[in-house]
Amino acid sequence: MIRLFQTHTIRKQEELTEKLWNFTPLQGEHAGETFAVPTPSCWETYPQFGQYRGQGCYETQFEAEGNVHIVCKGVSHTASVYLDGEKIAEHYNAYTSFSAVVCGVPKGVHTLSIVADNRFSEESALHVPNDYMSYGGVSRPVVFEQVEQCFLEAVHVAPFWANGAWRAKVTVWIHNIGEQESISVRVRIAGNELVFSPIRLCPGENKLSGEMAFSEVLSWQPQRPALYTVTAELERNGQPFDDLVDRFGFREIAIAGKQILLNGEPIQIRGVCRHEDHPQYGCALPFQAMAYDLQQIRDLGANSLRTAHYPNDERFLDLCDSLGILVWEENHARGLSLEQMKNPNFERQAEQVTREMVWQHYNHPSIYIWGILNECASDSEYGKTFYQKQLDLIREMDSTRPRSFASCKFKTDLCFGLPEVVSYNIYPKWYHDTPAGEYIADLYEWIQTETEGAGKPFLITEIGAGGLYGYRSPYHTKWSEEYQAEALKEQLEAVFSFPDCAGGYIWQYCDIRISEEWWGGRPRTMNNKGIVDEYRRPKLCYEVVKRCFAIE
Ligand code: ADA
């Protein structure tokens, strides 16, 4: 499955994954041996490769001719892509898509090879030993498309409410790999049309914008997540020759004082943080597993989730759009120190993943806020320059959503003047035994009196405690399921009863694997703060969370 809807009816598209590919590790005891493996997948889920750090070559054959457009939805974590042995693309970061076009491919069977590398090194500033796992593999779908000399790259729809009706700004990007030529572009939404004709396409990138007005459309909202498709077609002499379909929802996000508004109504976040992680799939969860997680998250009574700590699979975001679950999506970073932010690759790699995240996920109505740099060095002037640059980049690409970042810097953060929303990760009752209500009130008071975050919406982006599944203690000691349930009860009651808090996210939905190299003394070499364990088995706190989320 590529998306939850058909993205092309004219353009030829074929998913190359969802079948066996040949996998050959390039280092280690099995170097050079070839195994038939399912894709998408992570090699940590193959026997003998559970701890393999190195390169792995994935290979498949497919029939093609003409202009071949290869789209990789995610390769973990560094990719080199070859067509018939010729390198056609490189990409860093497991969590965003990338593509390549090869022109004039002769008719016949061709070989696509993807070398994935999950090693840690100075080359990698974002995938570092950490409190989550950087897997290896072709972890998301790979798609082959046959394109003409000019083809649609993206269509962004920005709905807005004006004079009692919905309107939308529509922007279309067309890539022209040929000479200059005249064509027409037709955009259809909800029975309305926007036509650009004639358009002289220059070689390379071409961008068109227009506005559309609507009379009878339904707004997107969590209780009724109405979705619409936007269909764009390219026409030559009246004949359509390329198309692109995407989905969006008529909704607007705004900030009013200390409130976050969805279509004019304040939202109270009751959410969980979720890693893409599963003992049987690594980070390559199939659609059904993603859907299972979301059904459980909804069963908890959550209305939101935070994509800790990277852009998520677009099929997962499609599900959130369809189920009306609000999403805080953030770029890829977790807890990078000032030293790590000084890695010469950091700025380029962080900018790239931010740009790709906003560009690729722009139309998802479920995403209500963009986050950056979780718990990085926002307590330093040097760090602040990157917070500023990345928040500016997001504003430049998307003026329709607020921005934030999750801080853990207690009363030393220097960056609260930059985002629209102030957010904190706090662990009273776990990392320190402060009563949760006291801790939140003290922190909030400091923000209001000592920082430029005063008067802004305030979110708790992480709060939680560890609990080992199956560890029951009559003394309710830390790591017992009893302790975790009691801590979460106190924490959530404090968050949801705090008058000026826009809500909170539990850390975290499920237990996850962490990298051996980071370990941090964590039992099982896992992060065990899940409401459910890694197999999604509810812990004692599950029912407590459900009751707390249900409090009006
Ligand atoms: C931080 C971090 C999370 C996780 C959490 C914890 O807030 O953002 O990724 O590491 O701490 O479990 O301590």
mmCIF file of all heavy atoms in Angstrom, residues 190-207:
data_model
loop_
_atom_site.group_PDB
_atom_site.id
_atom_site.type_symbol
_atom_site.label_atom_id
_atom_site.label_comp_id
_atom_site.label_asym_id
_atom_site.label_seq_id
_atom_site.Cartn_x
_atom_site.Cartn_y
_atom_site.Cartn_z
ATOM 1 N N ALA A 190 -13.966 19.236 -5.147
ATOM 2 C CA ALA A 190 -15.392 19.306 -4.786
ATOM 3 C C ALA A 190 -16.244 19.874 -5.914
ATOM 4 O O ALA A 190 -17.091 20.748 -5.708
ATOM 5 C CB ALA A 190 -15.555 20.167 -3.523
ATOM 6 N N GLY A 191 -15.957 19.455 -7.129
ATOM 7 C CA GLY A 191 -16.780 19.867 -8.269
ATOM 8 C C GLY A 191 -16.395 21.229 -8.831
ATOM 9 O O GLY A 191 -16.929 21.667 -9.841
ATOM 10 N N ASN A 192 -15.459 21.928 -8.148
ATOM 11 C CA ASN A 192 -14.992 23.228 -8.674
ATOM 12 C C ASN A 192 -13.709 23.020 -9.486
ATOM 13 O O ASN A 192 -12.969 22.083 -9.247
ATOM 14 C CB ASN A 192 -14.686 24.185 -7.520
ATOM 15 C CG ASN A 192 -15.936 24.567 -6.765
ATOM 16 O OD1 ASN A 192 -16.890 23.783 -6.703
ATOM 17 N ND2 ASN A 192 -15.963 25.763 -6.221
ATOM 18 N N GLU A 193 -13.462 23.930 -10.425
ATOM 19 C CA GLU A 193 -12.262 23.816 -11.262
ATOM 20 C C GLU A 193 -11.454 25.108 -11.248
ATOM 21 O O GLU A 193 -12.019 26.197 -11.180
ATOM 22 C CB GLU A 193 -12.677 23.513 -12.711
ATOM 23 C CG GLU A 193 -12.814 22.056 -12.994
ATOM 24 C CD GLU A 193 -12.669 21.757 -14.488
ATOM 25 O OE1 GLU A 193 -12.542 22.703 -15.293
ATOM 26 O OE2 GLU A 193 -12.699 20.561 -14.831
ATOM 27 N N LEU A 194 -10.156 24.932 -11.301
ATOM 28 C CA LEU A 194 -9.244 26.072 -11.462
ATOM 29 C C LEU A 194 -8.354 25.700 -12.645
ATOM 30 O O LEU A 194 -7.716 24.655 -12.619
ATOM 31 C CB LEU A 194 -8.403 26.237 -10.196
ATOM 32 C CG LEU A 194 -7.265 27.265 -10.208
ATOM 33 C CD1 LEU A 194 -7.822 28.682 -10.396
ATOM 34 C CD2 LEU A 194 -6.467 27.171 -8.903
ATOM 35 N N VAL A 195 -8.369 26.496 -13.707
ATOM 36 C CA VAL A 195 -7.616 26.134 -14.911
ATOM 37 C C VAL A 195 -6.544 27.187 -15.177
ATOM 38 O O VAL A 195 -6.817 28.394 -15.097
ATOM 39 C CB VAL A 195 -8.552 26.018 -16.130
ATOM 40 C CG1 VAL A 195 -7.763 25.650 -17.399
ATOM 41 C CG2 VAL A 195 -9.647 24.988 -15.856
ATOM 42 N N PHE A 196 -5.354 26.713 -15.409
ATOM 43 C CA PHE A 196 -4.259 27.601 -15.826
ATOM 44 C C PHE A 196 -3.989 27.256 -17.296
ATOM 45 O O PHE A 196 -3.559 26.152 -17.604
ATOM 46 C CB PHE A 196 -2.987 27.318 -15.028
ATOM 47 C CG PHE A 196 -3.127 27.439 -13.520
ATOM 48 C CD1 PHE A 196 -3.528 26.339 -12.759
ATOM 49 C CD2 PHE A 196 -2.864 28.635 -12.881
ATOM 50 C CE1 PHE A 196 -3.646 26.429 -11.387
ATOM 51 C CE2 PHE A 196 -2.980 28.747 -11.492
ATOM 52 C CZ PHE A 196 -3.382 27.644 -10.747
ATOM 53 N N SER A 197 -4.297 28.189 -18.214
ATOM 54 C CA SER A 197 -4.090 27.827 -19.616
ATOM 55 C C SER A 197 -4.015 29.076 -20.488
ATOM 56 O O SER A 197 -4.808 29.997 -20.270
ATOM 57 C CB SER A 197 -5.279 26.971 -20.099
ATOM 58 O OG SER A 197 -5.111 26.646 -21.468
ATOM 59 N N PRO A 198 -3.090 29.159 -21.468
ATOM 60 C CA PRO A 198 -1.977 28.222 -21.607
ATOM 61 C C PRO A 198 -0.846 28.600 -20.654
ATOM 62 O O PRO A 198 -0.771 29.752 -20.228
ATOM 63 C CB PRO A 198 -1.535 28.423 -23.063
ATOM 64 C CG PRO A 198 -1.814 29.868 -23.328
ATOM 65 C CD PRO A 198 -3.048 30.211 -22.501
ATOM 66 N N ILE A 199 -0.043 27.637 -20.305
ATOM 67 C CA ILE A 199 1.105 27.876 -19.416
ATOM 68 C C ILE A 199 2.383 27.510 -20.178
ATOM 69 O O ILE A 199 2.500 26.402 -20.714
ATOM 70 C CB ILE A 199 0.987 26.959 -18.163
ATOM 71 C CG1 ILE A 199 -0.208 27.395 -17.323
ATOM 72 C CG2 ILE A 199 2.253 26.989 -17.338
ATOM 73 C CD1 ILE A 199 -0.042 28.772 -16.689
ATOM 74 N N ARG A 200 3.308 28.455 -20.224
ATOM 75 C CA ARG A 200 4.578 28.123 -20.868
ATOM 76 C C ARG A 200 5.505 27.532 -19.790
ATOM 77 O O ARG A 200 5.900 28.247 -18.862
ATOM 78 C CB ARG A 200 5.220 29.377 -21.488
ATOM 79 C CG ARG A 200 4.406 29.959 -22.630
ATOM 80 C CD ARG A 200 5.158 31.045 -23.369
ATOM 81 N NE ARG A 200 6.338 30.502 -24.112
ATOM 82 C CZ ARG A 200 6.219 29.707 -25.185
ATOM 83 N NH1 ARG A 200 5.016 29.331 -25.592
ATOM 84 N NH2 ARG A 200 7.280 29.259 -25.794
ATOM 85 N N LEU A 201 5.794 26.273 -19.896
ATOM 86 C CA LEU A 201 6.640 25.621 -18.888
ATOM 87 C C LEU A 201 8.109 25.797 -19.248
ATOM 88 O O LEU A 201 8.529 25.452 -20.354
ATOM 89 C CB LEU A 201 6.336 24.108 -18.852
ATOM 90 C CG LEU A 201 5.078 23.639 -18.154
ATOM 91 C CD1 LEU A 201 5.131 22.115 -18.029
ATOM 92 C CD2 LEU A 201 4.916 24.275 -16.783
ATOM 93 N N CYS A 202 8.880 26.332 -18.299
ATOM 94 C CA CYS A 202 10.336 26.415 -18.513
ATOM 95 C C CYS A 202 10.944 25.065 -18.128
ATOM 96 O O CYS A 202 10.353 24.311 -17.348
ATOM 97 C CB CYS A 202 10.924 27.495 -17.617
ATOM 98 S SG CYS A 202 10.044 29.034 -17.789
ATOM 99 N N PRO A 203 12.148 24.777 -18.587
ATOM 100 C CA PRO A 203 12.839 23.573 -18.106
ATOM 101 C C PRO A 203 13.070 23.686 -16.589
ATOM 102 O O PRO A 203 13.235 24.790 -16.074
ATOM 103 C CB PRO A 203 14.179 23.600 -18.853
ATOM 104 C CG PRO A 203 13.907 24.424 -20.061
ATOM 105 C CD PRO A 203 12.879 25.457 -19.657
ATOM 106 N N GLY A 204 12.923 22.557 -15.871
ATOM 107 C CA GLY A 204 13.120 22.555 -14.407
ATOM 108 C C GLY A 204 11.800 22.765 -13.673
ATOM 109 O O GLY A 204 10.757 22.317 -14.091
ATOM 110 N N GLU A 205 11.905 23.519 -12.549
ATOM 111 C CA GLU A 205 10.738 23.695 -11.668
ATOM 112 C C GLU A 205 9.823 24.797 -12.170
ATOM 113 O O GLU A 205 10.273 25.869 -12.565
ATOM 114 C CB GLU A 205 11.221 24.084 -10.265
ATOM 115 C CG GLU A 205 11.905 22.970 -9.502
ATOM 116 C CD GLU A 205 11.044 21.714 -9.446
ATOM 117 O OE1 GLU A 205 9.827 21.826 -9.272
ATOM 118 O OE2 GLU A 205 11.606 20.632 -9.658
ATOM 119 N N ASN A 206 8.503 24.542 -12.148
ATOM 120 C CA ASN A 206 7.495 25.558 -12.489
ATOM 121 C C ASN A 206 6.446 25.568 -11.368
ATOM 122 O O ASN A 206 5.998 24.505 -10.939
ATOM 123 C CB ASN A 206 6.813 25.203 -13.808
ATOM 124 C CG ASN A 206 7.798 25.255 -14.967
ATOM 125 O OD1 ASN A 206 7.885 26.260 -15.674
ATOM 126 N ND2 ASN A 206 8.567 24.185 -15.156
ATOM 127 N N LYS A 207 6.090 26.742 -10.876
ATOM 128 C CA LYS A 207 5.142 26.854 -9.750
ATOM 129 C C LYS A 207 4.000 27.775 -10.163
ATOM 130 O O LYS A 207 4.226 28.854 -10.696
ATOM 131 C CB LYS A 207 5.875 27.446 -8.540
ATOM 132 C CG LYS A 207 5.014 27.705 -7.314
ATOM 133 C CD LYS A 207 5.863 28.288 -6.192
ATOM 134 C CE LYS A 207 5.021 28.770 -5.019
ATOM 135 N NZ LYS A 207 5.869 29.430 -3.984
#
